[in-house]
Amino acid sequence: MAAEALVEAGKPASPAIRQLEGALNKIGLTRAHKQIILLILIGCLFDSFEQNTIGVAGPALRAQWGLTGADIGFLNTITFGSAALGRLLSGIIGDRYGRRVMLATNLLLFTIGSAACAVAPNFTALCFARAVVGFGVGGEISTAVTMLAEFCSPRFRGTAAGLVNVAAGGFGNFLAPAFGLLIFTLFPGENGWRWLFAALALPALLVTFYRRLVPETPRFLVAQNRIAEANQVLSRLASGSLARTDVPVQNFLTVADTAEPPPKSAWRDLFRMPYLGRTVAVAIAILMSYGAQLSVLTLMPSIFVSMGYTYSGSLLYAMIIQSGSVLGAIAASCFGYYFPRKRVLTFGSVLACVAALSIIYLGVNIYLVLLFGAVFQFFVLLLNTSIWIYAPELYPTRIRAFGVAFILATGSAAGSFIPTISGALFDHYGMVGVFALAAGMYAVFALCIQLGPETYGKSMEDVNRSVEDDLSPTPQTEGKPATA
């Protein structure tokens, strides 16, 4: 069924939201939308480069400072741990003060942290700098997903949110080693790693400057009863240009501002029924998926070495397998336009499980391992990206930023312990143990995802309307504004 039909079938939570949905569908996808998407995706691409930097610069750091493998691992632990905290705090602040505030703040933290890494005099200073980087990177991604979902109409929001992981998880992870190789070629010597961090700071600073053009999302403004400002943003979107400040304001929303104060951002509602059920189910699902992905990415070079290949050859084979990630992220972004979320997530997790088992039972030579490995990575990024599309649609506007942040932070937390379990299985059972665990985790994923609601093509407020009514002490009338 077309997305527009699904929207019309529902009953929006308030007159203002009903008008907003109609305005977004009428405006469609304009050049202004594309400018917003581009500016956000550039930042996400360099965020992904930054998350891979320690792995790329690790050998140089070990040679110059005499670091151990545990020291390099600790730098990644700091980065991802700080990213999880950054996502949570960014979600709380974003729901209270706006998405745009956190978008600029997170990218500025990322820039400062990268510059601090470039001039770090010792390992301790580098650890503190990585914490700053992680905090900015974590908040950046979750804020980007939320914003793109809220800027677009129901028909296109899945594709827009999915593009974040095309830039980050797809092209970002795939191109990060090549980006590092380019910098080391341009700046050879023992301080090449410093130039790598510096190169990551400069583009982010430019994006920070250009992001002054990105407005607050109209959904957040309507949720705050700031109707006049929402009309200004909608008019800029309709004009097709973010740079124009003299755009005539059209009254897309004619509902007057209510005297009633806007709903507060009650982030604790995320952990109360009935939101608790969907939060726990989807958080477990993304923990399974992220854990399986990070385990395979971490151990694939070691798996190839155990098969008798050289270290350089193992890295090449790992990159070949990683090529499936790019295609998976792109496919998820396209599927977000055409197919229901739960259908994609269910079939994707089942096929990821089958791909993992195929590596175990059918990977009798290097060619089949590469083939099934690339297929496995395709479905891994298909699922991760689809969850990024799904997460913003699970919550009302007042707690959406924190809901998305919590789910993505759970995924980041998986990187702190699942690879350790996979490593132990690899030591005892080899490649079979690693992919058997991955297959089991995707089976759990498929079960968990059945507990969430279907959201495809619906107003994000419609999905939560019955939930909000359950939380209200008395029924709301047609004319009384509901929580957006």
Side-chain angles (χ1 to χ4, degrees), residues 204-221:
L205 188 60
L206 290 175
V207 175
T208 302
F209 172 77
Y210 285 117
R211 279 191 184 175
R212 293 185 305 171
L213 300 174
V214 178
E216 184 56 80
T217 70
R219 286 189 183 275
F220 177 81
L221 294 173

Side-chain angles (χ1 to χ4, degrees), residues 80-304:
F80 283 100
S82 181
L85 293 175
R87 282 176 175 167
L88 294 177
L89 187 57
S90 292
I92 294 174
I93 297 175
D95 280 330
R96 183 172 292 271
Y97 299 107
R99 289 58 162 126
R100 184 174 181 270
V101 172
M102 292 314 302
L103 185 72
T105 301
N106 288 321
L107 196 56
L108 182 60
L109 286 173
F110 165 79
T111 303
I112 294 173
S114 296
C117 288
V119 298
N122 51 48
F123 179 71
T124 301
L126 185 60
C127 287
F128 281 107
R130 294 307 299 172
V132 176
V133 167
F135 200 96
V137 166
E140 165 87 2
I141 295 293
S142 60
T143 302
V145 172
T146 302
M147 289 191 75
L148 290 185
E150 292 186 344
F151 268 119
C152 298
S153 65
R155 186 175 182 85
F156 189 72
R157 69 170 182 247
T159 298
L163 286 173
V164 175
N165 212 27
V166 173
F171 284 104
N173 288 336
F174 180 69
L175 295 176
F179 180 76
L181 180 61
L182 173 64
I183 298 299
F184 290 147
T185 301
L186 294 176
F187 303 98
E190 65 176 10
N191 287 319
W193 63 271
R194 295 186 185 276
W195 287 105
L196 178 61
F197 285 118
L200 289 170
L202 290 177
L205 188 60
L206 290 175
V207 175
T208 302
F209 172 77
Y210 285 117
R211 279 191 184 175
R212 293 185 305 171
L213 300 174
V214 178
E216 184 56 80
T217 70
R219 286 189 183 275
F220 177 81
L221 294 173
V222 170
Q224 297 294 308
N225 296 326
R226 292 153 60 179
I227 305 300
E229 294 177 62
N231 277 326
Q232 292 176 355
V233 173
L234 291 170
S235 298
R236 290 177 66 187
L237 294 176
S239 74
S241 176
L242 293 178
R244 289 186 57 188
T245 58
D246 58 344
V247 176
V249 177
Q250 303 180 50
N251 290 325
F252 290 98
L253 311 177
T254 58
V255 178
D257 290 3
T258 177
E260 184 176 317
K264 293 183 178 180
S265 169
W267 61 269
R268 294 178 183 84
D269 286 348
L270 203 68
F271 307 107
R272 297 170 180 161
M273 294 301 294
Y275 291 121
L276 179 62
R278 65 182 66 176
T279 298
V280 171
V282 179
I284 292 175
I286 200 170
L287 188 149
M288 295 292 108
S289 188
Y290 270 45
Q293 179 196 21
L294 293 172
S295 295
V296 172
L297 287 178
T298 301
L299 293 173
M300 276 314 299
S302 298
I303 289 174
F304 285 125

Side-chain angles (χ1 to χ4, degrees), residues 349-386:
S349 56
V350 171
L351 292 175
C353 183
V354 171
L357 294 175
S358 298
I359 294 174
I360 296 174
Y361 293 106
L362 302 178
V364 295
N365 57 51
I366 185 61
Y367 303 107
L368 289 175
V369 170
L370 291 177
L371 172 62
F372 291 124
V375 172
F376 176 79
Q377 282 299 110
F378 172 90
F379 287 113
V380 166
L381 263 292
L382 173 73
L383 293 170
N384 288 353
T385 305
S386 296

